[in-house]
Amino acid sequence: MESEAQSGWSHFLEHLVFKGAGDMGAREIVERIEATGGSINAATGYERTSFDVRGVDGALGLSMQVLSDLVLRPTLDPVEIEREKDVVAQEIAEAFDTPDDHVFEMAQATAFFDQSLGRPILGSVESLKPVTREMISQWRAALYSPDRMVVSISGGVDEDEFLKLAEQWFGSAVASPAPEVVPAEFIGGEARMARKIEQANLVFQMVGPDAKSADMPVARLFTEILGGGMASRLFQSAREERGLAYAIDAYMEPYDDIGLIGIYAGAAAERSQELAQVCAEQVVELATGGPTEAELQRAKAVMAAGLWMADESAANRSARHATQALVYGAPVASETLVDSLEAVTAADMLRFGKELLEDGRTASAVLGPKSAIKAAKAFASTIKSHSS
């Protein structure tokens, strides 16, 4: 929903609410939580901002009050707004100075050119410079509307107490009209940046399913087999067999209306083009030949184990359930997710792979020495040669 002029405002707002909220100043916000042994944090992604508190038994009331003040009653002091612009400018500079962070921004901007989903989460110095208290207050009202907000909790809590506190601290919030959201479109292309650093950083992306797609379990298993661990095809072929990369993995990003399947690799610049071709060839081989039965069972076991182990963390359960409530309207049991993975067949994988190659669109980003720049085209051209 961020226009180019509003790029980074959601992340900026996340910073600002910690500068003062309710009757608390910046220091008191964290001191109240930490005085009980708890911790408080926040994060902004491409589609959502989250605030979380971890605390011991007895701290629920305080935690709910602090979170409510942060999202509904921030001070948004004009002096703090100007000061925080400098802080975020440093964060933007730090991200640029971190090649394996910046290359993902390059890939995202290429995949979703000139769209909200393609703009950096941090924004830019230019987009933050004109922000005033009135502008960011209006942005907060649009963003933190109660009808688009979930309060999620997990751990040693009493449900009745939680519901009463949720009504007390969030029940009087006034909803605001939902901003218009234009569905994202994967554009694709190639992004290159030559910099005098030692290693090349490579990101290759293709179109994946959106978060509500029935193909989510298939895509997750495809990604796991492709590059999810040390037994994956990418790790074995690129690193173990050829020594082309010191770091390589595949990942999946499902958004509300589109998704990405991507590969990240860090490598010596002079071998980057060969590495890009190997990455594309592994995608093609898996897409056209499908997985072996052993690969499919390994991927299912790894992903199921990951779900069960994540359930052992109250923080993970709370965060996952909040996201699921926003996306699907209700939390989804881990048993249901595991069952959906177990139901995937080799035939499903082949169908998915065929559709992936038929689409053929890619977004390639390369950041590193000049000798690595051709790697972007190498991945795209190899995939394109197998697309319809």
Side-chain angles (χ1 to χ4, degrees), residues 233-276:
R233 293 194 178 193
L234 285 175
F235 192 95
Q236 289 297 316
S237 62
R239 176 166 174 159
E240 298 298 275
E241 296 173 12
R242 297 175 175 86
L244 291 173
Y246 63 89
I248 188 164
D249 62 75
Y251 62 92
M252 183 181 167
E253 292 285 357
Y255 301 113
D256 285 346
D257 47 32
I258 200 168
L260 293 174
I261 291 177
I263 297 169
Y264 167 77
E270 62 272 12
R271 304 197 70 185
S272 295
Q273 187 171 352
E274 181 185 357
L275 174 60

Side-chain angles (χ1 to χ4, degrees), residues 40-161:
I40 185 168
N41 207 345
T44 296
Y46 283 106
E47 293 186 316
R48 282 173 279 278
T49 294
S50 63
F51 297 87
D52 65 272
V53 174
R54 298 186 69 185
V56 296
D57 186 28
L60 180 58
L62 172 65
S63 300
M64 295 285 279
Q65 176 256 310
V66 171
L67 287 175
S68 173
D69 282 344
L70 287 177
V71 299
L72 299 178
R73 291 170 288 278
T75 306
L76 303 178
D77 185 336
V79 174
E80 294 292 352
I81 289 173
E82 295 307 311
R83 183 179 292 130
E84 201 61 23
K85 289 177 184 180
D86 291 334
V87 173
V88 176
Q90 295 174 46
E91 193 175 357
I92 292 169
E94 180 186 24
F96 181 82
D97 286 343
T98 309
D100 54 353
D101 282 347
H102 189 62
V103 72
F104 279 96
E105 285 192 4
M106 292 169 56
Q108 191 82 7
T110 303
F112 304 109
F113 177 73
D114 198 27
Q115 300 171 69
S116 177
L117 198 55
R119 298 186 181 103
I121 293 170
L122 300 180
S124 66
V125 173
E126 292 76 18
S127 65
L128 297 179
K129 185 176 181 180
V131 173
T132 64
R133 186 181 191 277
E134 181 180 4
M135 294 162 69
I136 204 68
S137 294
Q138 293 174 350
W139 190 254
R140 186 213 63 78
L143 211 63
Y144 298 168
S145 181
D147 57 322
R148 299 185 294 279
M149 191 183 299
V150 169
V151 183
S152 175
I153 193 165
S154 184
V157 294
D158 179 85
E159 183 177 346
D160 290 336
E161 180 190 10

